[in-house]
Amino acid sequence: MRKVPFIVSLLIILFGCRTDKSSPEKEKTEKVNEFAIIIHGGAGTILKKNMSDKKETEYKEKLEEAIKVGHTILKKGGTSQEAVMKTIQIMEESPLFNAGKGAVFTHEETNELDASFMDGKTLNAGAVAGVMNVKSPIELAITIMTDSDHVMLSGKGASIFAKEKGLEIVDPSYFYTERRFQSLQRIKEKEKTELDYDAKTAVFYDSDIKNAKFGTVGCVALDKNGNIAAGTSTGGMTNKRWGRIGDAPIIGSGTYANNKTCGVSSTGWGEYFIRGQIAYDISAQMEYQQKTLKEATSDVIQNKLTKLGGTGGVVALDKNGNMSFEFNTAGMYRASMNDKGELLVKIYKE
Ligand code: ASP
């Protein structure tokens, strides 16, 4: 009988020591990165067999260039807000992504841009929808947060505000790329004949690869002061009409940040991200159910979003510098960089 207390103590010691580096308990309490940054350039049916080596290199190089800009800012002690803005601007200026230059076309053959930003310290936020002549929608979203009494501005009014604040205004033709224009033409051609036009959402999915493919950009950063910021910028979905607005400018759907929990940027079929309040739900699960970042992102994307019928993914980062990529599509353009300068750039599932 005297052996019982001994066995019990042994079990306590053994199980007590089981918390290794990847255990949920450590993930919740231990700071793994003093600062960190994570980005995406869209999720969707991105398959190796459809991608040339040259294209793959171009995407990877641009993701690396963008994330390094943000990482350098954070390393020098800059704010997560600045890191998110400057990183996203690199991707907005690249025709590779569906944001800024390279944005997809609406049914009316225009480019209508959406973006949002959230500050995890103050829970302040800014967003813009349907703007057509502001070079950097993410900068406009941040300026709406810092320089107006509002959270969201749209269309013409947003352009007037941007002009008043001295932001760079461009001719709408700046956003034109032949690739996206042709993509719209193909979709319109198919629209006439085929059935996979979704009348409910009025979005016709990318005919290039017979499936949805997205190219929104997003970034989440944690700075040395423990402040998390998140931002997202997009052209929306090809062939959108009637002033359709997706999740990217909706706080809680496309973007969310809270220093108590995490920051999130989403990409995918926006209607589902709005209905699921995807970005906020990840933070809520961490706050109210004490889930780790990994548990929350995986539940929200693999269970909740998938059950709703939505496709896409998120990049997320928590207050301890843990990072998570989570998506239910074949691929997601993505990269992360930790405080040791370790860089990860990926496109496909593995
Ligand atoms: N989420 C965006 C939208 O629905 C599209 C994307 O992520 O590419 O507007």
Side-chain angles (χ1 to χ4, degrees), residues 214 237 244-248 253 268-275 311:
F214 313 100
M237 293 180 93
R244 179 263 187 192
I245 294 165
D247 60 317
S253 300
W269 191 345
E271 279 67 13
Y272 290 89
F273 281 74
I274 296 173
R275 289 166 53 200
T311 47

Side-chain angles (χ1 to χ4, degrees), residues 75-187:
K75 196 174 170 184
K76 286 184 181 156
T79 64
S80 49
Q81 176 175 315
E82 194 192 349
V84 166
M85 184 177 90
K86 295 276 167 59
T87 301
I88 288 184
Q89 281 179 328
I90 302 286
M91 294 189 281
E92 283 181 336
E93 281 166 24
S94 162
L96 288 175
F97 304 101
N98 171 21
K101 189 168 184 61
V104 298
F105 280 82
T106 66
H107 187 76
E108 290 75 26
E109 308 190 341
T110 57
N111 305 104
E112 296 180 8
L113 312 165
D114 302 334
S116 66
F117 176 87
M118 187 157 180
D119 173 2
K121 182 182 177 191
T122 57
L123 303 187
N124 207 350
V128 60
V131 77
M132 295 166 77
N133 64 352
V134 177
K135 188 178 180 197
S136 172
I138 190 66
E139 187 177 5
L140 176 52
I142 293 173
T143 311
I144 291 166
M145 178 185 87
T146 55
D147 290 27
S148 87
D149 293 331
H150 309 295
V151 170
M152 187 187 250
L153 298 181
S154 69
K156 276 191 191 137
S159 292
I160 294 168
F161 174 81
K163 216 172 180 176
E164 275 177 28
K165 295 294 163 193
L167 266 60
E168 191 172 347
I169 306 293
V170 290
D171 188 87
S173 63
Y174 164 80
F175 299 108
Y176 183 94
T177 53
E178 188 58 23
R179 171 184 169 218
R180 300 290 191 196
F181 188 70
Q182 289 312 326
S183 207
L184 175 72
Q185 301 314 317
R186 275 195 298 276
I187 287 173

